[in-house]
């Protein structure tokens, strides 16, 4: 969904995504399913934009499109002033070093039959970034950078814990010295204490290396720690966007308020009471004659079922796709 107006910060963006679209054919039908339906956002160098939403909201697909792991149907992606989707061949191969991915589950993202050192070294070999003489020292330095001993390079992934495997995956992603990391649920496969350590590592690396993160997560307390800005997706569209602290403190879209209210932990500053949403996401934008969230929305009016709200700037820097932004508040205890 195209914004009502374009932010003035566009010229300073490291990553600019405009009206991005991706559909898939649903099994047993010829009708395409819109996984990403007109997504637009900006990400500045050294900052973190979090994409949040329920499973099926399209956030992982956005990350895969940005990383060129899948091909967009329409829209544009500009990275460091280059038309990212137009790059091909050797030019694309060279520029891939600037955008790397940390996947959700290191158990599956690492090759169980390759030694750790070979996996961390692989991007360096492919991109021809170091000589064979320098390779061993570079791999050792990368492992130490993520908190592992250099001796880990001779072992296999199965010899490490889940948190250590994710550190290995991060070391591999850092090998090409990227400017942008797409972090796709990087701690959801880990227990809470280990996940917190990985989050601290990512924050330290961002501070030391000036990395930008596209951080995909459904864990809102973690998002509140890592993100500068938040974009909330529902059925492939952004329904709210703004500075992370402002979105968490005063959500404008009822879907965002419901997500925040679902976080467990009464008394921790999160989720004083739950906003119940009936049913599951169904249909899509334009398929039900109005706002796709209307069938589940606690404040929906007849108007919401007749017309789809645009993503509009409600306050400076605060965007929401809702005819009644801010009306649904997080309930008190």
């Amino acid at each position: 969904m195209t914004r009502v107006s374009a932010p003035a910060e566009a010229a300073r963006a490291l990553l600019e995504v405009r009206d991005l679209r991706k559909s898939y054919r649903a099994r047993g039908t010829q009708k395409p399913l819109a996984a990403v339906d007109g997504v637009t956002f900006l990400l500045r160098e050294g900052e973190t934009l979090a994409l949040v939403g329920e499973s099926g909201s399209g956030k992982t697909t956005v990350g895969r499109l940005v990383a060129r792991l899948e091909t967009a149907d329409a829209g544009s992606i500009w990275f460091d002033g280059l038309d990212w989707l137009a790059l091909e061949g050797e030019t694309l191969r060279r520029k891939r070093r600037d955008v790397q991915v940390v996947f959700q589950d290191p158990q599956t993202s690492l090759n169980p039959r390759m030694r750790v050192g070979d996996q961390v070294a692989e991007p360096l070999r492919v991109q021809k970034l170091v000589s064979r003489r320098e390779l061993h020292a570079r791999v050792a330095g990368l492992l130490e950078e993520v908190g592992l001993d250099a001796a880990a390079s001779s072992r296999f992934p199965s010899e490490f814990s889940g948190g250590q495997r994710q550190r290995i995956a991060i070391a591999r992603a850092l090998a090409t010295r990227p400017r942008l990391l797409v972090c796709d649920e990087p701690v959801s496969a880990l227990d809470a204490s280990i996940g917190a350590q990985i989050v601290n590592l990512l924050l330290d690396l961002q501070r030391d290396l000036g990395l930008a993160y596209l951080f995909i997560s459904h864990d809102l307390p973690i998002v509140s720690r890592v993100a500068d800005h938040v974009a909330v997706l529902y059925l492939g569209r952004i329904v709210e966007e703004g500075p992370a602290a402002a979105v968490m403190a005063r959500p404008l879209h009822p879907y965002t308020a419901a997500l925040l209210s679902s976080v467990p932990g009464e008394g921790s500053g999160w989720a004083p009471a739950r906003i119940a949403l009936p049913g599951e996401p169904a249909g899509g934008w334009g398929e039900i004659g109005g706002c796709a969230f209307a069938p589940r929305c606690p404040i929906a009016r007849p108007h919401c079922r007749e017309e789809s709200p645009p993503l509009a700037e409600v306050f400076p820097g605060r965007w929401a796709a809702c005819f009644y932004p801010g009306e649904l508040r997080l309930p008190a205890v």
Side-chain angles (χ1 to χ4, degrees), residues 191-250:
D191 66 43
S193 62
I194 300 301
Q197 294 174 23
I198 297 298
V199 167
N200 289 336
L201 172 63
L202 290 170
L203 291 172
D204 290 344
L205 291 169
Q206 184 175 48
R207 180 198 63 215
D208 296 341
L209 303 177
L211 293 165
Y213 292 150
L214 184 62
F215 196 92
I216 298 163
S217 181
H218 66 275
D219 192 321
L220 293 174
I222 287 178
V223 166
S224 71
R225 285 193 60 202
V226 304
D228 298 290
H229 299 273
V230 171
V232 181
L233 279 79
Y234 186 78
L235 291 177
R237 287 192 183 183
I238 293 176
V239 296
E240 180 164 353
E241 183 182 350
V247 171
M248 299 294 178
R250 186 188 175 190

Side-chain angles (χ1 to χ4, degrees), residues 60 121 127 137-138 165 177 185 223 240 243 277 327-328:
T60 290
Q127 293 285 347
R138 182 68 174 272
R165 283 194 290 266
R177 282 298 182 248
E185 300 275 9
V223 166
E240 180 164 353
L277 294 181
E327 184 171 307
L328 183 63

